[in-house]
Structures are given as structure tokens and as C-alpha cells.
Amino acid sequence: MSTIEKALQKQREKNQQGSADQVQSETAAADGGNTPQESTAHANEPQQTTGPGNNNKRELIIIDQQNLKEQGLITDSTERQKIKDEFRYIKRKLLNNAFGSGASNLENGNLVMVSSGKPNEGKTFISINLALSIALEQDKTVLLIDADVIRPSISTELNISPRKGLVEYLLGEVENISEVIYNTSISNLKIIPAGEPHHLTSELLTSDKMRQLTQELANRYSDRMVIFDSPPLIEVNESQVLANLMGQALVVVEESHSKIADIQKAVDSLNEELAIGFVINKAVQTQKEMYGYYGY
């Protein structure tokens, strides 16, 4: 055999081997791209669930406990905090109305709206602490929703990076609400952020889709407390519409700042069938009692 013939024979053998390798590669791709060893390895990994409220692990929201402490928020540490005691008192009434003896007298008792008469009275601070306090319960989960889509602040307070949320769901950009219910590093706490600003944010809160969402949360997740950080009640008509979908309302009042007339006006805008409570916020404590700036 000449040198040229030997070279051609060698090339033919090389091409045949390449074809065999390609067939094997294509077969593996049709089977999911895994060799038997790889398939076994994946089978042993924890499987990603797709049920309500479960998201990809990469989307887990990490709640920085040190950041919570620095802001005067409740932490999950064993350290005694005055604020923990204060919110225990607040949440007990809400939990009783949702799941205890008061539940029979309320519709959607597990849906709690936290609002104030006017801005800057501390409603977001109360919403976050209330959710953190309920999350410490052994047998309860809590969903915290930033429904103040006009001036959202929960993500800022908790150092959460921008992501899809309530606005995207109400616009129809997200098909299933479970896609924007994010798990957090606090096992019993889930969050729906406000999402990206939109020129129709006010209309979204009064839409039929928002009404349907609240009914789904009340019925499908009836064993879960749902906290809505809502826009102020005065001069924001959307909040009054949202209040009609709730079972309970918590009105935040800033000590030495909120006017009696404003408080009365805020309460008058609420549905009479709501269970309404009040939280005195930013109360100045005596030096002996001073654990933090906020009191209730």
C-alpha cells in the first residue's frame, strides 16, 4: 500500500470514529444530556419543588440579622428584645382573630392590612416587625406583601435586590402568583415585593385581579397570615378599596404627630366589618425603659 493510500485509510478510520462519537453524544442529549453516572448523581440531589411559594434556590432572599438589629427590627436570636415583647402582645390579638375564637366573626381574618393616616408614620416598620414576630411562631407561616406600590419600601428596608413582584403579577407579566412569592432565610417568612414602578400602579390595586388575588390568599392559604404593607388611607382612594378585601386592619399612629382628626378620617374610610386595631409608633420612652426609639 502506497503512502497516499495509507493516509487515506487512516483518514477514513478517523471519520468513522468521529461519527460513532457523534451518535453517542446525540443519544446522550436525547436522554437529557446525562451519562448513567450523571443521571444517578442528579437523582440523589434534592429536587426543586414547584408548589405555591417555592422558588428557585437562586432566588432565596437572605435576611441579614445584623442589619435587622441595627434598624431596631426583631431578630431570631435568643437575645431578649423589648420589641419582641411588644409585638407578641400585638400579634396575639391578630392571630386570635384569624385562627382563634374571633375567627368565626370575620371574613378573611388572615388578611391584615397595615396602614396609617398619612405617610411617614412608620407603617412599614410595623409591617416588617409584625411579620418577623409571627415568623417566630412554631406552627405559623407569614407572607409579607409590599402593597404600597406607589412608594414601596420593604425591599429597601430589608436590602432586597430589585425583582419581579406584585406589579408584574397584576399586569399579567407573571402568570402564577407563586412565581413572585419568595422564600427567605427565615423559614416561616415569605415575601412578595412591590415590583417595578408602573404608571398604572394606582389602578392595579383596585383591579379585579387584585380582588381575586386576595380571595386566593384568604382561601388557598387559609393557614397563613398575610400582611399587606398598604398605602396611607387619607387621600389615597386605592387603600380604601383594598381595605374592603381585608379581614383586619392595623392603623399606625405616630405619637405627638398624628392628628385626632386625621385618625378619625382614616378610620371612617374603613369597612365597618373590619377588625380594627391601633399601634402607637415612635413613642418616646423614659431613659430607664429605653431599648430603642420605637414603642407601641
Side-chain angles (χ1 to χ4, degrees):
M1 181 180 293
S2 67
T3 302
I4 295 177
E5 289 175 332
K6 290 180 180 179
L8 290 174
Q9 178 65 23
K10 186 175 182 181
Q11 182 64 42
R12 281 195 295 269
E13 292 174 353
K14 183 177 181 181
N15 290 340
Q16 291 173 354
Q17 181 62 39
S19 298
D21 291 341
Q22 181 178 2
V23 170
Q24 183 178 1
S25 175
E26 291 174 349
T27 302
D31 290 336
N34 298 323
T35 63
Q37 291 84 355
E38 290 172 332
S39 299
T40 302
H42 284 294
N44 292 331
E45 291 177 359
Q47 297 298 306
Q48 179 64 40
T49 56
T50 58
N54 290 308
N55 302 91
N56 192 291
K57 293 178 181 179
R58 290 175 296 179
E59 298 182 336
L60 179 73
I61 294 176
I62 303 300
I63 305 296
D64 187 338
Q65 295 292 322
Q66 182 60 34
N67 179 58
L68 295 180
K69 184 177 181 180
E70 290 172 356
Q71 295 189 74
L73 297 167
I74 291 174
T75 68
D76 60 5
S77 69
T78 57
E79 179 185 356
R80 185 66 181 265
Q81 290 179 292
K82 182 177 177 60
I83 195 170
K84 280 186 180 180
D85 295 334
E86 293 167 336
F87 272 93
R88 284 192 185 103
Y89 179 78
I90 296 171
K91 74 177 176 182
R92 287 286 166 246
K93 295 178 179 293
L94 297 173
L95 290 172
N96 182 65
N97 285 337
F99 310 112
S101 59
S104 60
N105 300 321
L106 291 176
E107 183 178 358
N108 301 343
N110 65 320
L111 305 186
V112 181
M113 173 185 188
V114 180
S115 187
S116 58
K118 292 187 175 181
N120 303 317
E121 294 185 299
K123 64 180 183 59
T124 299
F125 180 86
I126 300 300
S127 298
I128 293 174
N129 269 319
L130 181 59
L132 291 170
S133 181
I134 295 174
L136 294 176
E137 296 287 310
Q138 296 300 306
D139 58 348
K140 293 289 183 295
T141 60
V142 57
L143 173 62
L144 176 61
I145 301 178
D146 194 344
D148 192 352
V149 292
I150 301 172
R151 294 180 59 187
S153 53
I154 285 179
S155 292
T156 301
E157 295 299 322
L158 295 179
N159 290 329
I160 299 173
S161 59
R163 61 191 68 208
K164 293 181 178 180
L166 182 61
V167 169
E168 284 75 14
Y169 173 74
L170 295 177
L171 285 172
E173 297 176 6
V174 173
E175 183 177 353
N176 196 312
I177 188 61
S178 64
E179 296 178 46
V180 293
I181 298 179
Y182 296 92
N183 296 321
T184 74
S185 55
I186 298 176
S187 60
N188 291 337
L189 173 65
K190 302 177 185 295
I191 293 177
I192 298 181
E196 292 296 322
H198 193 274
H199 68 281
L200 294 177
T201 49
S202 298
E203 288 76 10
L204 292 175
L205 287 181
T206 59
S207 65
D208 286 340
K209 193 163 187 178
M210 185 66 188
R211 179 183 56 81
Q212 294 167 4
L213 171 61
T214 56
Q215 289 303 308
E216 179 180 1
L217 293 174
N219 299 320
R220 186 175 178 182
Y221 307 103
S222 58
D223 60 341
R224 174 187 296 170
M225 287 293 286
V226 185
I227 309 299
F228 291 80
D229 181 28
S230 308
L233 291 164
I234 298 178
E235 300 176 357
V236 182
N237 294 330
E238 293 76 22
S239 292
Q240 299 168 20
V241 175
L242 186 61
N244 291 328
L245 307 175
M246 303 289 111
Q248 303 188 68
L250 203 58
V251 180
V252 179
V253 178
E254 183 178 351
E255 185 183 64
S256 303
H257 183 272
S258 300
K259 298 179 181 179
I260 297 297
D262 289 339
I263 299 171
Q264 186 65 55
K265 187 175 181 179
V267 173
D268 288 344
S269 68
L270 296 174
N271 189 331
E272 293 182 356
E273 297 180 358
L274 278 174
I276 303 173
F278 297 88
V279 177
I280 306 299
N281 193 30
K282 301 184 183 180
V284 178
Q285 303 168 335
T286 65
Q287 188 65 34
K288 181 179 179 180
E289 299 173 329
M290 188 63 73
Y291 284 78
Y293 180 63
Y294 293 86
Y296 312 89

